[in-house]
Each structure stands twice: as C-alpha cells, then as structure tokens.
Amino acid sequence: MVAVMLMITGTTNAQNDVNIGKSNIKLGSHMMTPEALWAMGRIGGVEASPDGHKIVFQVGYYSVKANKSHQVICVMDADGKNRRQLTTSSKNETDPTWLDNETIAYISDGEIWAMKPDGSDRKQLSKMDGKVEGFKFSPDHSKVIILQSIPFHDIIKKNPDDLPKATGRHVTDLMYRHWDHYVESIQHPFIYSVSGNDIGTDAIDILEGEPYECPMEPFGGIEQLAWSPDSKTIAYTCRKKTGTDYAVSTDSDIYLYNIGTRKTTNLCKPADYKAPVCDPTKTLKYQAVNAPENLKNNVGYDQNPQFSSDGKYIAWLSMERDGYEADLNRLCIYEMATGTKRYIDWKSDVESFCWAPQKDKSALLYFLSVWHGCNNMYSVNWKGEVKQLTETWDDWTSLQLANDGKRILATRQSLSAPTDIYMVTPGDGKSKKNDVIETKIQQISFENKNILDQLTFGKVQQRWVKTSDGKEELVWIVLPANYEEGKKYPTLLFCEGGPQSHGLPGFGQEWKEEISGDWTGQCMSDYLAAIDDAAQNLPFVDKDRLGAVGASFGGFSVYYLAGHHNKRFKAFISHDGAFNLESMYTDTEEVFFSNWEYDDAYWNKDRTANASRTYENSPHKFVDKWDTPILCIHGEKDYRIVYNQGMGAFNAARLRGIPAELLIFPDENHWVLKPQNGILWQRTFFDFLDKYLKP
C-alpha cells in the first residue's frame, strides 16, 4: 500500500499585493497565492510554564521586500486568551523557555537573555561574544548547557596563515560538506555554571578533545540533549565517527555524561564494543554490522533522550540497523539501575514523544506516529499497550506535557491549515469511537486567522485504488478552491520525496522496505495506477490535461516518468530530483543513503541484481523517449542531490528539442527558504502549468 496525492487545479498566476503585518493583511482574493503564503506567521518552539498557566512560543514573520524573516516571542494564557507579542526589536529573538513561572529565557543576538512574562525586566545572562546557538538550563538552575561551534579542520585543512585571501579548500576525506555547507566547524555542548541568573565563563566541553559533533548534522538541535532530574548527569546524542566511516554509517548512540566525575558512558553499546569492518562501496544491509547478533548493540540512529521525572528511566528514539536512515523509528526505554532496554512494539514510526505524568497509571508515554498518511497521537502504558488518542486528517507535529498533570500541549497542521497550538485532554478510556479514546482537543492559537478567514480552501478527499500487484493504495484528492460541479479540471500527480515518504511509514514496514532497491518498479506502477484511476473514474478530471510534479525522490520520479508515461502527461516539473544515478552515487554527501537504496557502487562488478536494475533504469538513460515539456528546478547549495542533476536533465531535454525551462538558485539548498526566491519558485511553477495545461 502507498499514499499518492492528486491535485485538481484551476491553475493561476494571480499576484496580490500584501501588506506585511499581522493585523492589516488584505488579500483581495479568496484564492491562495504565493504572497498570501509568505504573509503567514510560522509558529516555532512552544512551551508551557512550570505551573501550566501560560504558554510561550516563537513566531516567524517574513518580509518579501527585505527578503528575510523576523523571529519574535509571544505569550498567552493556557486557554489561548491574552495573547501578546513580547519582543519588538529588529533582532531575531528565539528559543523561548521558562526558567520559572515568572522568568522566560531566550536567545537574542547570539546571547542568552531573560525577561518577565510581560516582556519587562530584560537582562543579558551570558557573555559569549554572540556565539550561543542553543541552550538548556539544569532543573536546579545551577548549570546550563550552551551549544557553540568550534573550528574543525580534520577533514578540510586550515589554510596557511600567510594566505588570508585564499579561498581553496584542501579536503582529505569524506563528509567535507553536509546538506548545504562545508564542514569547517562543528557544534559542541559546553556546561557553564549559573549564579543567580548570571552565567559564568567556566566552560566544560562535554566532548573535549573529541572530533565529533553534538547535536548531529544536519537537523539536530537542543532536543538531542537532556538533563537528569537531579542535575548531575546529561544524556546526549552523538555519532562518534569521522570521514568515510561517518559518511557510510547512521550509527549514533546515547551517552551519559557525569558532571562530577566527567566520565562518559555509552548507554547503547558495551564498553568493549568494536564496530565490524565494512566495505564502504556496498550497502550495510548484508554486512556484519547488521548481522542479527550485532543488532542488540543499537547500531542504527539513536537520538533525542528524555529522562522520566524520577530519573529511573531514559527513553529515546531508536532505529535498529546501521546505514538505513528510514528504518522503523522505535521507542526505547532504558532502566538506569539495571541497564535493561525495552522497545515499544508498534507498527509504525514514532515521530516524537514525552513522558506522561507519573501519577497517571493509564499511560507511560505519549507519542506521535503516522498511519495512513496522518500523524496522530497515542499513549502506551507499562504493559506495552498502545491506545490511540486522536484520529484526524492532520499532522500533529509536536507534543509535551502542559504541566497541569492532565493535558498535553501540542501543535498541528494539515493540508488546509498552517501550524497552530492545541491543548489535548486524553479521556479515561471508557468512551471510544472506532477504538480511539474520546479525547478533548482545544485550539488555543489562531496565528493566521486574519488571513485564513479571507481564503477558500478546496475539499480534501480520500480514495483507495487497486494497484497492479493486487493491493490498495490511498490517494489524497485535493480539489481547487473554486471547484464547480460538472466542470473538468487539469490534474497534477504529486510525486512525494523520500523515497520512503512515497512508500509512507504509515502503511506498514513491508511497503516501506520494498521501495529500497526498486525505485523504478512497483512504486512507479502505483503512481500510474493512481493517475489512470483518476482519469478514467473521476468526472472532474480532464484526462487530456494531466501533469506530474515532485521534489527530491519525487523529482527523480518525474524524470523517470518522462521516459515511461506513454503520452499520459502534458507537463512535468522536477524540483531537486536525481537524474543520473551513477553520478548521484558519488555526488551525494551521505554515502549511506545511496548504499542502502542502490545496494552497490556502480563500478562493483559483483553488484547485486537490485543495484544493476537501479543503474540500468536511471532516468538519464531514457531521455530518447522524452516527448513532453519539462521544468527543472534546483538549488546550487543542495549537497544531498547536487545541482548538476537538474542542469543535466534540462540540457538533455533542450538537446532533444523538448520544450524545457531551468530555474536555478545559487543560494538555496534542498528547499527554497528565502521569501523572494519562494515567490519566484511559485510563480514559475504556475506559469509553466498555465502554459501547458490550460485549455
């Protein structure tokens, strides 16, 4: 099974003037436009006060004219009332957290500051030359972890001092760049003492002398470290590998650092563990590191530890196998006294979690997990019994205790609504509907209400479609906001990224596993099954105006379908897609990804049948069959799928005489993050569709 999205679109290139500012935005149209999208506030970190009476949260507002964002801090009562913006300076102010019921700490201009919940009595706590990148105070407030970058020249050598204007980089091993930057510094967590609210300068580097990063690249943050309730130890996440070993492995562990003794203990592996030697040109799937007898050593991703409130347990997210970034994300519970590890038996990935109040005997932990394309909320008790708390066509994106002993503070978004904040009150389990606990859900933030009230969103529908292998796939159908019964509309097949995001985790591990090593097999048949069903059976789909669009693996899918669609589509758009898989193998920075997905380096003569099929079916080998206009988009700072992939596809199309366009961003990575670039992206996208799909 799989989920596919079809977008039924009345294509438009409408451009509206928008006055940036939360209270005075006038759109002049009920249709979503790029300008309206960039006018919306984006909610970030959310936290309840210790007594549960107030909520502090971060919001980002974007100025298209200035081409940048402005991050501010807001506070409101726990019921959503009395919302107010606390920070009004031109500087970004971020990472708000409660020190006590009357004090909020936050980052401004690379330093830690504190203020009262009404925004008054501001005081600078740290003096770190503007180098604070994240922080977490100990429960007793006697210490604070501060994330800071330090120079790192193990892989990219430091240029000679007498050549200060030299721009060359002397590289000696792999992992010399990550995602969108060259690795010439790494983050380390430092412990500083706190006196009153003043932070000292007596730093202890938890990883002193170690050439490893913490948090982990590319997306890790302060959530990868945790204080014990007694403030004596720190649990942290780290992948203690460098160079080629780092590039081919996903083996990170949870470490316990004792502040008194300054000793570190690995909670995932025995002290004498030594990783088996591996062949870096082959998937780790079949190598000794993933042999059954070695899997007990937690050789996959382990990250994001959280202590229970009594300090007797630590829970974290754990993947079983090395080299597989999309393995089943399990919830691991570690007993401090015995070293015993226990894994919650669950059918899908755990996205995030928090400990339940220990007085609540009905739950041990709350967690978020995806099923059938929606991220919902669950609880699990000491017996390992999982109960579903929410059942909505949304994605819950974060959760934590509301600190009142009864409720959960969470954020949620959907296809029709941006992120907002909610209070969730789990029921007692006595009342259920479809095996889902009756749960009270209260929305307490309405960040973009003034914009959303002016917009009309198209209805979202689910449809189950038979696939060529006799299974069923879930198809999400998104109708246009101006949909009229009886009319036919252009329709887009939206190809998802991943590839595991295409074979969504929420349809069982078997399907998610099946896509690796078979990028051009069943998943492509499933795409075509979805669009063929729509063209044949949905009366509002104009089968003569079909397009296929996608990003990342979805962009790869578009390039492949361009040579195998048999005249189905009239337009293709690929964003940051892989085009030449042989080139992709050595271009990408995280080698473990290509190894797991392809099985082998392309030059291996003993490569597996999966590897041979992968390279033989690379999209670039079917350009001779391309016959449809295509738009290729790529960011030059995308180091996962390097921009030569998009340029190669565009060049090939033009040399074949295919109508083609290229949108290239010198300053963007795998995503487009700058407002003006985002609007250019969206206008180019819709202009291209208008050109080839409008009647």
Side-chain angles (χ1 to χ4, degrees), residues 625-637:
K625 295 182 173 59
W626 284 17
D627 56 9
T628 302
I630 188 166
L631 167 62
C632 307
I633 309 174
H634 225 105
E636 289 190 25
K637 294 186 73 174

Side-chain angles (χ1 to χ4, degrees), residues 571-573 629-631 661 684-692:
F572 290 109
I573 302 179
I630 188 166
L631 167 62
E661 297 177 16
T684 305
F685 180 94
F686 287 112
D687 284 347
F688 189 83
L689 295 178
D690 284 350
K691 185 184 298 185
Y692 295 107

Side-chain angles (χ1 to χ4, degrees), residues 596-663:
W596 195 276
E597 296 302 320
Y598 308 166
D599 273 4
D600 267 295
Y602 62 84
W603 58 81
N604 283 341
K605 304 303 181 186
D606 62 343
R607 64 183 183 228
T608 66
N610 275 353
S612 293
R613 179 175 60 213
T614 294
Y615 293 119
E616 288 165 4
N617 285 286
S618 176
H620 79 284
K621 295 190 173 183
F622 300 93
V623 174
D624 62 311
K625 295 182 173 59
W626 284 17
D627 56 9
T628 302
I630 188 166
L631 167 62
C632 307
I633 309 174
H634 225 105
E636 289 190 25
K637 294 186 73 174
D638 184 351
Y639 299 153
R640 171 56 73 93
I641 301 178
V642 182
Y643 71 95
N644 64 306
Q645 299 285 318
M647 293 176 73
F650 168 74
N651 293 353
R654 289 304 300 128
L655 290 169
R656 284 279 339 281
I658 305 294
E661 297 177 16
L662 173 67
L663 179 58

Side-chain angles (χ1 to χ4, degrees), residues 137-140 145 225-235 256-257 259 306-311 313-314 336:
F137 280 85
S138 61
D140 65 5
I145 299 168
L225 299 100
W227 284 99
S228 63
D230 62 8
S231 302
K232 294 180 179 179
T233 55
I234 295 169
L256 199 66
Y257 180 85
I259 296 173
Q306 292 185 35
F307 284 89
S308 60
S309 60
D310 59 10
Y313 302 91
I314 301 178
M336 297 291 290

Side-chain angles (χ1 to χ4, degrees), residues 221-387:
I222 198 66
E223 76 284 348
Q224 295 199 339
L225 299 100
W227 284 99
S228 63
D230 62 8
S231 302
K232 294 180 179 179
T233 55
I234 295 169
Y236 69 91
T237 308
C238 193
R239 177 164 38 172
K240 296 200 173 183
K241 298 174 182 289
T242 62
T244 301
D245 290 340
Y246 183 109
V248 301
S249 174
T250 59
D251 185 6
S252 62
D253 293 319
I254 305 300
Y255 295 86
L256 199 66
Y257 180 85
N258 185 296
I259 296 173
T261 65
R262 300 195 182 182
K263 296 287 181 65
T264 299
T265 304
N266 189 330
L267 301 186
C268 294
K269 295 179 174 63
D272 60 350
Y273 177 80
K274 187 175 181 180
V277 176
C278 74
D279 182 342
T281 70
K282 291 182 174 294
T283 179
L284 297 184
K285 193 182 310 181
Y286 310 116
Q287 298 196 50
V289 69
N290 283 321
E293 64 272 14
N294 200 47
L295 293 181
K296 67 180 184 295
N297 294 310
N298 289 69
V299 296
Y301 270 136
D302 292 275
Q303 55 189 325
N304 301 1
Q306 292 185 35
F307 284 89
S308 60
S309 60
D310 59 10
K312 293 180 180 180
Y313 302 91
I314 301 178
W316 67 78
L317 299 178
S318 177
M319 294 187 184
E320 185 177 44
R321 289 167 289 180
D322 194 4
Y324 189 19
E325 68 171 358
D327 205 355
L328 182 67
N329 215 12
R330 308 168 300 172
L331 191 54
C332 176
I333 301 174
Y334 179 94
E335 187 174 33
M336 297 291 290
T338 65
T340 302
K341 286 179 288 194
R342 173 184 171 197
Y343 301 92
I344 301 302
D345 183 19
W346 182 237
K347 60 187 177 181
S348 189
D349 288 317
V350 175
E351 302 290 341
S352 58
F353 70 95
C354 68
W355 289 90
Q358 291 191 308
K359 64 182 180 181
D360 181 3
K361 301 301 181 183
S362 66
L364 168 65
L365 292 145
Y366 299 117
F367 66 92
L368 302 180
S369 183
V370 63
W371 192 249
H372 287 185
C374 299
N375 229 25
N376 274 295
M377 193 176 298
Y378 301 81
S379 69
V380 60
N381 63 17
W382 283 106
K383 297 178 182 179
E385 298 168 332
V386 175
K387 296 179 181 179

